[in-house]
Amino acid sequence: PPGGNFQIPLSTAQTNAQSLTVIQRDPAGNDSPPTGLVAPDNEPPAQPTDLVLSANGAQITGKGEVGTRAEVRGADDTLLGSAVVDANGQFVVLLSPPQLNGQTLTINLIDGGDNASPDSTLSAPDRQPPATPTDLALSIDGLQLSGRGEAGATVEVRDSNGNLLGSQLVDGNGTFTVDLNAAQLDGQTLTILQRDPALNASPSTTLVAEDLTPPDPVANLAVSDNGVILSGTGKSGAMVEVVTADDISL
């Protein structure tokens, strides 16, 4: 062709960093020395496959295109770890921190041309219990207990005998208000914990309700024959006082 230029249609597109060898042959059949050429890399790798998260949540294994870089990211796009796919098409990515709290992980492969594969996702198991609920407060009427916890967890409030007084889901802002089935105004000790959707339970904490309830009247009163002892029944822990009609304490 004029100017010595040429264009050769290729039978298959070369867009994935293939190594090509080019020669020219003159009419007498003489071949030139070969010239090497690497095709542009415009073709993304396929998705990584066979993804497995270790039992301790500290590494992900999988398969992918040889020589690509496997990246693992958290829900907020934070890079948790990366590794190069070995000659056998396998990779092991060490994660920091370990993923054991139901996180959704995104894994993709990036080749030498910075082409990224479609994402693969993997959900970590939820084996991490929530923290103890905080900022606990009992309403004035003793019928509601509010506080802060892990969004999506369920808060349980129990009495000293383990009976459930109420439960409530922690909202998206990390706050909760539990309606109690009986007013807690008599110095009761309440036990509060939260369970995440995987039923992992937080450490429990306690709250002592204010004692705003007067005791019932004493009962079964009797004065001894010699008149110096008064017996009866009353509220455990309460102080019994005896006064005369003249308001003199005996």
Side-chain angles (χ1 to χ4, degrees), residues 5-21:
N5 298 320
F6 64 86
Q7 290 185 341
I8 301 176
L10 304 178
S11 59
T12 56
Q14 304 295 297
T15 59
N16 197 23
Q18 298 95 330
S19 294
L20 308 177
T21 300

PDB file of all heavy atoms in Angstrom, residues 5-21:
ATOM      1  N   ASN A   5       2.135   1.610   4.761  1.00  0.00           N
ATOM      2  CA  ASN A   5       1.262   1.340   5.901  1.00  0.00           C
ATOM      3  C   ASN A   5       0.376   0.137   5.624  1.00  0.00           C
ATOM      4  O   ASN A   5       0.106  -0.208   4.457  1.00  0.00           O
ATOM      5  CB  ASN A   5       0.381   2.551   6.208  1.00  0.00           C
ATOM      6  CG  ASN A   5       1.211   3.768   6.594  1.00  0.00           C
ATOM      7  OD1 ASN A   5       2.202   3.646   7.303  1.00  0.00           O
ATOM      8  ND2 ASN A   5       0.814   4.938   6.089  1.00  0.00           N
ATOM      9  N   PHE A   6      -0.104  -0.490   6.694  1.00  0.00           N
ATOM     10  CA  PHE A   6      -1.012  -1.631   6.509  1.00  0.00           C
ATOM     11  C   PHE A   6      -2.026  -1.676   7.647  1.00  0.00           C
ATOM     12  O   PHE A   6      -1.797  -1.142   8.734  1.00  0.00           O
ATOM     13  CB  PHE A   6      -0.245  -2.954   6.420  1.00  0.00           C
ATOM     14  CG  PHE A   6       0.509  -3.326   7.673  1.00  0.00           C
ATOM     15  CD1 PHE A   6      -0.118  -4.014   8.713  1.00  0.00           C
ATOM     16  CD2 PHE A   6       1.853  -2.993   7.821  1.00  0.00           C
ATOM     17  CE1 PHE A   6       0.577  -4.354   9.863  1.00  0.00           C
ATOM     18  CE2 PHE A   6       2.545  -3.322   8.971  1.00  0.00           C
ATOM     19  CZ  PHE A   6       1.919  -4.010   9.997  1.00  0.00           C
ATOM     20  N   GLN A   7      -3.126  -2.292   7.391  1.00  0.00           N
ATOM     21  CA  GLN A   7      -4.157  -2.615   8.387  1.00  0.00           C
ATOM     22  C   GLN A   7      -4.628  -4.029   8.128  1.00  0.00           C
ATOM     23  O   GLN A   7      -4.951  -4.374   6.996  1.00  0.00           O
ATOM     24  CB  GLN A   7      -5.339  -1.645   8.305  1.00  0.00           C
ATOM     25  CG  GLN A   7      -5.037  -0.240   8.770  1.00  0.00           C
ATOM     26  CD  GLN A   7      -6.277   0.645   8.782  1.00  0.00           C
ATOM     27  OE1 GLN A   7      -7.263   0.327   8.138  1.00  0.00           O
ATOM     28  NE2 GLN A   7      -6.209   1.744   9.498  1.00  0.00           N
ATOM     29  N   ILE A   8      -4.636  -4.837   9.168  1.00  0.00           N
ATOM     30  CA  ILE A   8      -5.020  -6.234   9.026  1.00  0.00           C
ATOM     31  C   ILE A   8      -6.241  -6.494   9.904  1.00  0.00           C
ATOM     32  O   ILE A   8      -6.159  -6.348  11.131  1.00  0.00           O
ATOM     33  CB  ILE A   8      -3.881  -7.184   9.443  1.00  0.00           C
ATOM     34  CG1 ILE A   8      -2.629  -6.937   8.609  1.00  0.00           C
ATOM     35  CG2 ILE A   8      -4.330  -8.639   9.315  1.00  0.00           C
ATOM     36  CD1 ILE A   8      -1.449  -7.781   9.045  1.00  0.00           C
ATOM     37  N   PRO A   9      -7.379  -6.862   9.364  1.00  0.00           N
ATOM     38  CA  PRO A   9      -8.520  -7.278  10.184  1.00  0.00           C
ATOM     39  C   PRO A   9      -8.171  -8.567  10.926  1.00  0.00           C
ATOM     40  O   PRO A   9      -7.639  -9.501  10.332  1.00  0.00           O
ATOM     41  CB  PRO A   9      -9.636  -7.497   9.170  1.00  0.00           C
ATOM     42  CG  PRO A   9      -9.194  -6.773   7.929  1.00  0.00           C
ATOM     43  CD  PRO A   9      -7.702  -6.864   7.924  1.00  0.00           C
ATOM     44  N   LEU A  10      -8.436  -8.602  12.213  1.00  0.00           N
ATOM     45  CA  LEU A  10      -8.149  -9.778  13.030  1.00  0.00           C
ATOM     46  C   LEU A  10      -9.400 -10.630  13.180  1.00  0.00           C
ATOM     47  O   LEU A  10     -10.522 -10.107  13.298  1.00  0.00           O
ATOM     48  CB  LEU A  10      -7.624  -9.348  14.402  1.00  0.00           C
ATOM     49  CG  LEU A  10      -6.384  -8.429  14.376  1.00  0.00           C
ATOM     50  CD1 LEU A  10      -5.992  -8.034  15.798  1.00  0.00           C
ATOM     51  CD2 LEU A  10      -5.214  -9.120  13.674  1.00  0.00           C
ATOM     52  N   SER A  11      -9.198 -11.932  13.196  1.00  0.00           N
ATOM     53  CA  SER A  11     -10.345 -12.847  13.233  1.00  0.00           C
ATOM     54  C   SER A  11     -11.079 -12.811  14.582  1.00  0.00           C
ATOM     55  O   SER A  11     -12.273 -13.091  14.641  1.00  0.00           O
ATOM     56  CB  SER A  11      -9.889 -14.273  12.923  1.00  0.00           C
ATOM     57  OG  SER A  11      -8.913 -14.692  13.875  1.00  0.00           O
ATOM     58  N   THR A  12     -10.343 -12.487  15.656  1.00  0.00           N
ATOM     59  CA  THR A  12     -10.969 -12.314  16.968  1.00  0.00           C
ATOM     60  C   THR A  12     -10.395 -11.057  17.610  1.00  0.00           C
ATOM     61  O   THR A  12      -9.197 -10.760  17.449  1.00  0.00           O
ATOM     62  CB  THR A  12     -10.714 -13.516  17.898  1.00  0.00           C
ATOM     63  OG1 THR A  12      -9.307 -13.737  18.028  1.00  0.00           O
ATOM     64  CG2 THR A  12     -11.373 -14.778  17.357  1.00  0.00           C
ATOM     65  N   ALA A  13     -11.245 -10.321  18.306  1.00  0.00           N
ATOM     66  CA  ALA A  13     -10.793  -9.073  18.924  1.00  0.00           C
ATOM     67  C   ALA A  13      -9.712  -9.356  19.962  1.00  0.00           C
ATOM     68  O   ALA A  13      -9.823 -10.293  20.769  1.00  0.00           O
ATOM     69  CB  ALA A  13     -11.975  -8.363  19.570  1.00  0.00           C
ATOM     70  N   GLN A  14      -8.682  -8.532  19.969  1.00  0.00           N
ATOM     71  CA  GLN A  14      -7.568  -8.653  20.915  1.00  0.00           C
ATOM     72  C   GLN A  14      -7.631  -7.446  21.862  1.00  0.00           C
ATOM     73  O   GLN A  14      -7.078  -6.391  21.595  1.00  0.00           O
ATOM     74  CB  GLN A  14      -6.242  -8.702  20.165  1.00  0.00           C
ATOM     75  CG  GLN A  14      -6.147  -9.803  19.114  1.00  0.00           C
ATOM     76  CD  GLN A  14      -6.200 -11.190  19.744  1.00  0.00           C
ATOM     77  OE1 GLN A  14      -5.314 -11.564  20.519  1.00  0.00           O
ATOM     78  NE2 GLN A  14      -7.248 -11.949  19.409  1.00  0.00           N
ATOM     79  N   THR A  15      -8.348  -7.635  22.948  1.00  0.00           N
ATOM     80  CA  THR A  15      -8.585  -6.525  23.886  1.00  0.00           C
ATOM     81  C   THR A  15      -8.300  -6.921  25.326  1.00  0.00           C
ATOM     82  O   THR A  15      -8.740  -6.242  26.247  1.00  0.00           O
ATOM     83  CB  THR A  15     -10.045  -6.045  23.774  1.00  0.00           C
ATOM     84  OG1 THR A  15     -10.922  -7.134  24.078  1.00  0.00           O
ATOM     85  CG2 THR A  15     -10.353  -5.492  22.394  1.00  0.00           C
ATOM     86  N   ASN A  16      -7.555  -8.007  25.513  1.00  0.00           N
ATOM     87  CA  ASN A  16      -7.339  -8.497  26.870  1.00  0.00           C
ATOM     88  C   ASN A  16      -5.859  -8.733  27.153  1.00  0.00           C
ATOM     89  O   ASN A  16      -5.476  -9.729  27.761  1.00  0.00           O
ATOM     90  CB  ASN A  16      -8.147  -9.783  27.100  1.00  0.00           C
ATOM     91  CG  ASN A  16      -8.307 -10.107  28.572  1.00  0.00           C
ATOM     92  OD1 ASN A  16      -8.218  -9.230  29.417  1.00  0.00           O
ATOM     93  ND2 ASN A  16      -8.540 -11.379  28.869  1.00  0.00           N
ATOM     94  N   ALA A  17      -5.018  -7.793  26.682  1.00  0.00           N
ATOM     95  CA  ALA A  17      -3.573  -7.818  26.943  1.00  0.00           C
ATOM     96  C   ALA A  17      -2.906  -9.060  26.372  1.00  0.00           C
ATOM     97  O   ALA A  17      -1.889  -9.527  26.902  1.00  0.00           O
ATOM     98  CB  ALA A  17      -3.290  -7.683  28.433  1.00  0.00           C
ATOM     99  N   GLN A  18      -3.431  -9.576  25.234  1.00  0.00           N
ATOM    100  CA  GLN A  18      -2.796 -10.732  24.624  1.00  0.00           C
ATOM    101  C   GLN A  18      -1.448 -10.339  24.017  1.00  0.00           C
ATOM    102  O   GLN A  18      -1.273  -9.216  23.537  1.00  0.00           O
ATOM    103  CB  GLN A  18      -3.677 -11.326  23.520  1.00  0.00           C
ATOM    104  CG  GLN A  18      -5.027 -11.853  23.999  1.00  0.00           C
ATOM    105  CD  GLN A  18      -6.143 -10.844  23.854  1.00  0.00           C
ATOM    106  OE1 GLN A  18      -5.910  -9.626  23.929  1.00  0.00           O
ATOM    107  NE2 GLN A  18      -7.362 -11.331  23.639  1.00  0.00           N
ATOM    108  N   SER A  19      -0.500 -11.264  24.046  1.00  0.00           N
ATOM    109  CA  SER A  19       0.806 -11.055  23.408  1.00  0.00           C
ATOM    110  C   SER A  19       0.718 -11.511  21.948  1.00  0.00           C
ATOM    111  O   SER A  19       0.378 -12.668  21.662  1.00  0.00           O
ATOM    112  CB  SER A  19       1.900 -11.852  24.132  1.00  0.00           C
ATOM    113  OG  SER A  19       2.087 -11.350  25.433  1.00  0.00           O
ATOM    114  N   LEU A  20       0.990 -10.599  21.043  1.00  0.00           N
ATOM    115  CA  LEU A  20       0.915 -10.876  19.608  1.00  0.00           C
ATOM    116  C   LEU A  20       2.311 -10.825  18.994  1.00  0.00           C
ATOM    117  O   LEU A  20       3.171 -10.055  19.445  1.00  0.00           O
ATOM    118  CB  LEU A  20       0.020  -9.840  18.915  1.00  0.00           C
ATOM    119  CG  LEU A  20      -1.375  -9.626  19.519  1.00  0.00           C
ATOM    120  CD1 LEU A  20      -2.113  -8.526  18.767  1.00  0.00           C
ATOM    121  CD2 LEU A  20      -2.172 -10.919  19.504  1.00  0.00           C
ATOM    122  N   THR A  21       2.536 -11.629  17.988  1.00  0.00           N
ATOM    123  CA  THR A  21       3.796 -11.619  17.237  1.00  0.00           C
ATOM    124  C   THR A  21       3.483 -11.256  15.789  1.00  0.00           C
ATOM    125  O   THR A  21       2.586 -11.843  15.162  1.00  0.00           O
ATOM    126  CB  THR A  21       4.484 -12.994  17.290  1.00  0.00           C
ATOM    127  OG1 THR A  21       4.761 -13.318  18.656  1.00  0.00           O
ATOM    128  CG2 THR A  21       5.793 -12.976  16.502  1.00  0.00           C
TER     129      THR A  21
END
